[in-house]
Amino acid sequence: MKKHTLSFLLFFFCGFSAIASHIVGAELFYDYLGNNNFKITLRLYRNCNASCTQCAPYGDPEYVQIFDSLGNYIDSIAMPLPVQDTIPSAITNPCLTPIDVCIEQAFYTGTYNFPPRPGGYTLVYQRCCRNAAIQSIPANTGATYVAHISNDRFTVNSSPRFTQRPPLFICANSYLQFDNSATDPDGDSLSYSLVNALDGASSACPNPSPGGAGSGCNTWASAPPYVSVPYYTPYSAINPTNNPSNTGNLQIDPVTGLLTGIPNQTGIFVVAVAVSEYRHGVYIGQTIRDYQFNIVVCNIPTVNLIYLPGTFNPTSNFGTYQLDCTTRTVNFNQVSFYNPPPTNVPLSFFWNFGVPGSTTDTSTQEFPIFTYPDTGTYFVTVVVSKAQGGQGCYDTAHALVITYPTLTAGFSAVSGCQDSAAVFTDHSTSTSSGINVWNWTFGDGQ
């Protein structure tokens, strides 16, 4: 797999309007406190970059709104402004160029009593508008974040919550691997999927809540169910970043929550991940977190092993090469190297051909030729690197080289008279160990 370091930063651009373009990500979940009381948490992220002159501050308070299963508005939960933290933006990867980033996070909380109710409750936080620089959806698109309390079926339950901040700053054309897993206080089973980001609110009424303002603006959010944001082709919930859509599209493991893929272009994109909760096989609900990926060009050299015949997995950068039975010599010229700017910094190469116990099975050539001492299976490693900022910036790929023995059957025969023995002499050869099993057929059924 890729060995370069991936920095996880929250990175955003200013939107075109102050109405809510500072809000760049959110997650809504709850904890059961007992006696039908619940603690509601809204994790909210905003841009605090000094150049973002039109970015509005956090609301004081922010409102989470309550609906019944029929979509009827019940009440709003006012959440006072909490302490705000600035997320460190230092870049530790020597391959990356420093950028001006400032992101704040605020974790709003509030409590509310929810007596059991048929169909439970829907909690909603709704704002407009998303960042106008997002390439995958139109400008003036709003956002809705939802949580479901199913206390008509599960009296005691807390919802899952994601364990890590989302990686909104990643490298184009490089393998992404991010642990997008969540935890559940009740130990319920969790399943992960890429889903549609939800639309909501409008530029005419960016904050539909008791704290909202403007002519004709409701004091509560629109009622569920909610529609998807309108994705431009070829983007979708299952392909939020790649154009053209290809085998490097983002994927999430439904069991572990591991998010992988190879984003193939630069830009800003919205990605939504759902974690669904089950108890004894019965579905409870899901938490959806959507957030922005800022994908940029990084100065990371890359190497791909593209051996033929054989197989190559681009997401793990692992190939397999099977030699024919006539040689143990491999010409490692089926390799692709990429040297990003600045291209005047040369690449360095290091090969280890995987011979156990050997100290001479290495090379620093770009396309080496190596002869294996015997048949067998060998684990090959190639590292490509370049010096950047006084540090090494590198990528790694692996392959299995499988050399099979040559076995050639042959014999001679000396015929004799009738009723006397014929003499057969074996002349079979093997390029590996000696032959120890023979099976002769003499043509007469014996």
Side-chain angles (χ1 to χ4, degrees):
M1 60 180 292
K2 301 286 185 181
K3 296 297 185 182
H4 54 255
T5 304
L6 181 63
S7 296
F8 297 130
L9 301 178
L10 299 172
F11 178 72
F12 313 93
F13 288 99
C14 262
F16 65 95
S17 169
I19 51 182
S21 60
H22 65 297
I23 303 297
V24 292
E27 176 188 354
L28 185 62
F29 60 90
Y30 58 84
D31 291 278
Y32 181 70
L33 302 178
N35 298 321
N36 299 324
N37 293 311
F38 289 79
K39 175 185 176 182
I40 313 301
T41 300
L42 173 67
R43 290 178 176 172
L44 203 55
Y45 303 96
R46 69 177 289 272
N47 193 342
C48 55
N49 195 305
S51 62
C52 193
T53 56
Q54 296 186 16
C55 288
Y58 280 119
D60 187 11
E62 294 283 358
Y63 292 88
V64 169
Q65 318 205 12
I66 308 169
F67 294 84
D68 66 15
S69 61
L70 300 178
N72 298 310
Y73 172 74
I74 296 177
D75 200 358
S76 294
I77 306 172
M79 298 180 171
L81 179 66
V83 175
Q84 304 155 54
D85 297 319
T86 299
I87 298 172
S89 60
I91 295 177
T92 59
N93 190 329
C95 304
L96 308 181
T97 301
I99 55 177
D100 183 19
V101 176
C102 179
I103 297 298
E104 288 180 340
Q105 62 182 10
F107 293 173
Y108 286 85
T109 61
T111 58
Y112 197 87
N113 186 271
F114 294 89
R117 186 186 192 98
Y121 300 86
T122 299
L123 309 180
V124 178
Y125 176 74
Q126 195 170 77
R127 289 296 294 266
C128 183
C129 298
R130 296 176 184 268
N131 193 335
I134 297 175
Q135 296 174 207
S136 52
I137 60 176
N140 292 330
T141 300
T144 298
Y145 304 92
V146 180
H148 300 280
I149 295 179
S150 301
N151 63 348
D152 59 329
R153 296 180 298 129
F154 301 92
T155 305
V156 176
N157 183 65
S158 299
S159 62
R161 65 289 317 267
F162 293 95
T163 56
Q164 296 193 49
R165 286 194 302 267
L168 299 187
F169 179 76
I170 61 177
C171 296
N173 300 308
S174 293
Y175 180 57
L176 167 68
Q177 180 172 287
F178 173 64
D179 181 2
N180 210 117
S181 62
T183 58
D184 185 82
D186 308 305
D188 294 324
S189 298
L190 303 179
S191 178
Y192 304 90
S193 58
L194 291 171
V195 296
N196 291 310
L198 299 179
D199 199 356
S202 67
S203 57
C205 180
N207 185 17
S209 72
S215 176
C217 187
N218 290 333
T219 57
W220 60 84
S222 59
Y226 300 103
V227 299
S228 165
V229 297
Y231 291 96
Y232 289 132
T233 303
Y235 306 109
S236 65
I238 59 175
N239 174 37
T241 63
N242 282 14
N243 186 13
S245 177
N246 59 23
T247 55
N249 294 350
L250 295 185
Q251 300 181 54
I252 192 164
D253 189 298
V255 177
T256 66
L258 184 66
L259 186 67
T260 58
I262 305 176
N264 63 8
Q265 63 174 334
T266 61
I268 303 177
F269 307 89
V270 61
V271 178
V273 174
V275 52
S276 299
E277 181 183 13
Y278 297 84
R279 185 172 299 172
H280 306 302
V282 179
Y283 175 75
I284 299 175
Q286 67 177 196
T287 299
I288 298 177
R289 177 177 69 180
D290 77 46
Y291 49 95
Q292 295 176 173
F293 271 10
N294 185 56
I295 304 174
V296 300
V297 174
C298 297
N299 298 322
I300 301 176
T302 57
V303 52
N304 288 325
L305 291 168
I306 49 177
Y307 289 127
L308 293 174
T311 60
F312 170 64
N313 182 350
T315 61
S316 64
N317 210 11
F318 192 94
T320 301
Y321 184 68
Q322 299 179 1
L323 296 179
D324 61 38
C325 295
T326 62
T327 182
R328 296 196 303 271
T329 298
V330 183
N331 187 345
F332 289 93
N333 59 0
Q334 297 297 311
V335 187
S336 172
F337 297 105
Y338 169 65
N339 187 8
T343 53
N344 61 335
V345 179
L347 295 178
S348 297
F349 311 92
F350 179 78
W351 291 82
N352 186 309
F353 303 113
V355 179
S358 175
T359 59
T360 60
D361 63 332
T362 61
S363 175
T364 57
Q365 297 180 9
E366 182 175 4
F367 302 113
I369 298 175
F370 185 76
T371 299
Y372 283 91
D374 198 354
T375 57
T377 299
Y378 301 90
F379 187 74
V380 180
T381 299
V382 55
V383 179
V384 58
S385 61
K386 67 188 300 184
Q388 184 126 342
Q391 300 185 61
C393 181
Y394 61 95
D395 187 26
T396 304
H398 305 282
L400 288 179
V401 173
I402 304 173
T403 63
Y404 293 99
T406 298
L407 187 63
T408 304
F411 67 92
S412 61
V414 178
S415 58
C417 299
Q418 181 178 353
D419 298 326
S420 64
V423 178
F424 295 90
T425 303
D426 176 42
H427 298 296
S428 301
T429 60
S430 170
T431 59
S432 184
S433 57
I435 300 172
N436 54 22
V437 176
W438 294 262
N439 184 19
W440 295 82
T441 302
F442 299 110
D444 62 349
Q446 300 298 311

